[in-house]
Structure formats: structure tokens, C-alpha cells
Amino acid sequence: MSEKLQKVLARAGLGSRRELETMIQSNRVSVDGQIAKLGDRLENVDARIRIDGHVVSVKESAEVICRVLAYHKPEGELCTRHDPEGRRTVFDRLPKIKDSRWVSVGRLDANTAGLLLFTTDGELANRLMHPSRKVEREYMCRIFGDINDKMVKNLVSGVKLEDGEARFEDVMYAGGEGMNHTFYVVINEGRNREVRRLWDSQGVTVSRLKRVRYGDIFLEKALPRGGWMELELKEVNYLREMVELPHEKESLLDVDKESRKRAKSKSQKIRRAVKRHDERTTDDRAPAPAGRRGRNNKKPVGSSLPSAKRNTTGDAKPASNKPSGKGKKPSANGVKPIRTKFSPNGKAPKSAPRQR
């Protein structure tokens, strides 16, 4: 059965549907020597397809093994394949693969750090990014400014931005002193700079922003800044099931005991490699945000935030093999109650335990 050209190319990992539609509109794609047009359908997978003059391989969907990477993005890296100014991009450190390429699941702006997913399956990336899927994204926000209950209630109820109404699905206070406060917030859309713009609407500034969760995939404590790790088959199938794609039967990832030992050693090598890379590129590196903890005094993400999705030590944990319901559409009245109170003198007390 014939399929739209951009859908077949996306499934082959040659880009997201949006990227491929742009390529087709720019006359960069040809099929059997003819310039492709938007809306063309591919009748034969053996057709000779070229992008920018280079022949690309398009396999049957059953032959393609879906792979997913979790990447710990540092501040200063761009979510683009090539930068004309030669700045660092999130693709620079990813492993090379043959007859395919990594497609990013959404973006993080240059000054935002944290969890970024990549996959070889463009259809999976497209569905995860689509607003109708309402996949939860959780962020750790360090806020500078005077915050009160009314502001937080506004952010949960919804505020009007230039591209429509937006709101936080959940807000959790995690401590702070004076004018500096830390919150964990949840959104289920991927609009450009949405978290920053929501806080800006209340007259306060986000001084640091880090994504710590995508669906039920958490940023692992052991994953160093600038490092990546491939997700296991059960986690890949969790993502696929969430967007109504069939389960994968196999994985290229070996998860035996010996492989885990090698992975731990590799994690240490990544840390050293990232440090050397940063030292070589000090001149063009973006400045680190104020207040960052030193290497020997680093605090694990979420350690002061009680949550049903974290263990009692506050360390991040990988997705459960059991269905958790996360990533599903929230109920119409799904606004969660505010559990944070602020004292008039600006000193915020400890937050109450999260209730689910």
C-alpha cells in the first residue's frame, strides 16, 4: 500500500516529518530522477530516492529497528544539526550510525539543560512531539523574584501568551532563600520557551532551567553532562505504546551483566571526554548560570522534592515496566491543588508532601 513520501522517509530516520516536508518543498528530494512534490506517495520502496543528490536507503518498516537515546544536554548547545557560526550542537557527541540518523524528539533552547531524547524512528519522534499526545515534560526551575500564592495559582489556572493560553499541569515548591526559589513544574506541550514565558508572565525571571523527565523517562543521575545512553527495549516500547505504535521485538542494546560493567566504565570515560572537550572550547562556551554548585558539592536533581515518581532518596529512576498512565490525556478538571504557602517576609517554608 502506498504511503506519503515524507512519512516513509521519516520512518527511515532521515528527519522529522516537518523537516522532510520542508526539504520536499525546497526541491531537495527526488524519486527515480523526478523532483518530488509535497503530497507525493511512494508506491515502491525499491525506488531510487535522493536527498540533495545523495541516494538514501528506505527499508520496509518491519526491517527497521527503533532505537532511542537519552542525552544529557548541557547549557550552551544548540538543537540543530549544523550551525553556520560553528557553535556546538546536540548532535556533535552522538554515536554515528549507518543507513540512518538520529532525530531529536523536540528541542531545548540553548540556555536550557537536561533530558533530550533522540530516535532513529522519525514517526515515533513526530507522534511524541504532536500536541494532541499531551506527553508530560517535567522541569526543574530556579526562579529569581518575589513569588506569592496568587502567581502560582495563575500559572496552574492558565495565562494568555502571544500564541494562546498555557498553564502548568502541576507545580511543586522545592525550597529557596530570599529572592531565589526552586520549583518543579509539569507541562504537556512543547511550545517554544513555554516554561520561561509562563514565569515571565508573572514578572519573575528563570535563572536556570533543566528538564528532568519526559513521559516516564527520567534523567539518570549517573548520566554525565554531555553524555548519552541507549534505552532498553521495555523503555522504547513504553514510548511506542504511549503514541499507539506497535511494540519492537528486538533491540540492538545488550543488557547483560558484563555490558552493565562496560556501561559504568563508559560513563566515567564520557565525563572525562566532556571535560576535555569543554576545556578545548572554552572561548565559545556559553557562560554557566549563576549559583551553580561545584563538582564536589553537586546536589542530585529532585533530592528535596517528595514525589510519587521519585524514590525516597530523591534520585531519579528509569521508567517502570508497568503501565503508569503517564502521558495520557489529563481529565478536564485536572487542575491540581496548590500545596505551597509563602510568608509575607519573603521566606518560603518547606513544601508539603506531594499528594497523588
Side-chain angles (χ1 to χ4, degrees):
M1 187 174 67
S2 65
E3 292 183 286
K4 285 188 177 180
L5 179 59
Q6 63 267 28
K7 184 177 180 179
V8 177
L9 295 175
R11 189 173 59 235
L14 296 167
S16 67
R17 280 202 211 174
R18 186 176 297 176
E19 290 173 333
L20 291 162
E21 287 171 358
T22 302
M23 290 181 189
I24 294 171
Q25 288 176 320
S26 303
N27 298 326
R28 296 169 57 189
V29 182
S30 67
V31 180
D32 290 334
Q34 299 294 318
I35 298 297
K37 297 179 182 178
L38 198 61
D40 284 356
R41 304 182 76 86
L42 191 67
E43 306 289 342
N44 180 14
V45 293
D46 294 326
R48 195 172 184 82
I49 303 174
R50 293 177 181 266
I51 296 179
D52 294 334
H54 301 286
V55 177
V56 296
S57 173
V58 179
K59 300 179 182 179
E60 291 283 1
S61 58
E63 299 177 12
V64 179
I65 295 178
C66 175
R67 301 173 65 186
V68 182
L69 292 183
Y71 178 66
H72 187 167
K73 177 189 176 298
E75 296 94 340
E77 285 188 352
L78 305 179
C79 287
T80 183
R81 292 189 184 275
H82 305 287
D83 179 59
E85 299 179 22
R87 291 171 293 181
R88 233 169 35 210
T89 78
V90 294
F91 293 92
D92 290 346
R93 296 192 181 105
L94 299 186
K96 305 299 180 185
I97 47 177
K98 187 178 180 181
D99 297 331
S100 187
R101 68 174 184 171
W102 297 112
V103 179
S104 64
V105 181
R107 295 170 176 263
L108 295 175
D109 63 59
N111 294 325
T112 302
L115 179 63
L116 188 60
L117 298 182
F118 292 86
T119 179
T120 55
D121 189 337
E123 180 64 18
L124 174 62
N126 182 71
R127 293 195 185 193
L128 286 171
M129 289 186 287
H130 200 278
S132 64
R133 299 295 174 174
K134 295 188 178 297
V135 182
E136 287 191 350
R137 292 96 158 154
E138 184 173 359
Y139 292 81
M140 185 277 289
C141 315
R142 183 177 294 163
I143 308 300
F144 179 79
D146 190 12
I147 304 174
N148 55 46
D149 275 347
K150 184 179 179 181
M151 292 179 182
V152 178
K153 288 178 181 178
N154 289 341
L155 294 171
V156 174
S157 300
V159 297
K160 202 155 206 176
L161 303 178
E162 56 269 26
D163 54 353
E165 189 172 278
R167 70 184 183 91
F168 291 139
E169 296 298 313
D170 196 9
V171 177
M172 187 68 187
Y173 184 64
E177 294 180 358
M179 298 285 282
N180 292 288
H181 305 281
T182 300
F183 288 87
Y184 284 82
V185 301
V186 175
I187 58 174
N188 57 21
E189 291 181 296
R191 288 197 239 172
N192 184 39
R193 303 183 74 255
E194 184 175 2
V195 175
R196 293 182 187 274
R197 290 188 292 141
L198 277 166
W199 284 111
D200 286 346
S201 72
Q202 304 303 303
V204 294
T205 303
V206 178
S207 59
R208 189 186 178 197
L209 187 61
K210 185 174 187 177
R211 184 194 280 170
V212 296
R213 178 170 65 87
Y214 193 96
D216 270 3
I217 307 299
F218 283 81
L219 180 63
E220 291 280 355
K221 179 183 176 184
L223 186 61
R225 182 175 56 88
W228 56 267
M229 64 183 292
E230 186 158 354
L231 299 189
E232 298 179 15
L233 183 60
K234 65 179 181 180
E235 295 172 312
V236 172
N237 283 335
Y238 155 73
L239 293 171
R240 294 180 67 84
E241 183 179 345
M242 185 164 55
V243 294
E244 299 174 355
L245 284 174
H247 279 199
E248 284 287 313
K249 298 289 192 300
E250 56 183 318
S251 170
L252 296 180
L253 183 64
D254 186 5
V255 293
D256 59 22
K257 187 178 292 185
E258 190 62 31
S259 296
R260 291 192 186 98
K261 290 181 181 178
R262 290 197 298 269
K264 185 176 181 180
S265 174
K266 184 178 180 180
S267 177
Q268 295 169 347
K269 290 180 181 178
I270 290 173
R271 283 191 175 89
R272 292 194 292 269
V274 169
K275 184 178 180 181
R276 289 195 299 268
H277 187 279
D278 289 345
E279 288 172 351
R280 288 196 301 268
T281 57
T282 301
D283 293 340
D284 63 347
R285 183 179 177 186
R292 169 175 280 185
R293 294 173 179 269
R295 179 178 179 182
N296 296 325
N297 193 30
K298 192 171 182 180
K299 188 177 181 181
V301 172
S303 59
S304 59
L305 174 59
S307 169
K309 298 178 184 129
R310 292 189 175 83
N311 57 25
T312 54
T313 61
D315 295 339
K317 63 178 181 180
S320 170
N321 201 19
K322 298 179 181 179
S324 63
K326 288 301 171 187
K328 296 181 180 179
K329 294 182 180 180
S331 59
N333 61 348
V335 178
K336 298 179 177 62
I338 303 300
R339 297 178 295 279
T340 305
K341 297 295 181 181
F342 293 88
S343 58
N345 60 7
K347 293 184 178 180
K350 295 181 180 179
S351 57
R354 176 176 286 195
Q355 300 174 1
R356 289 288 184 186

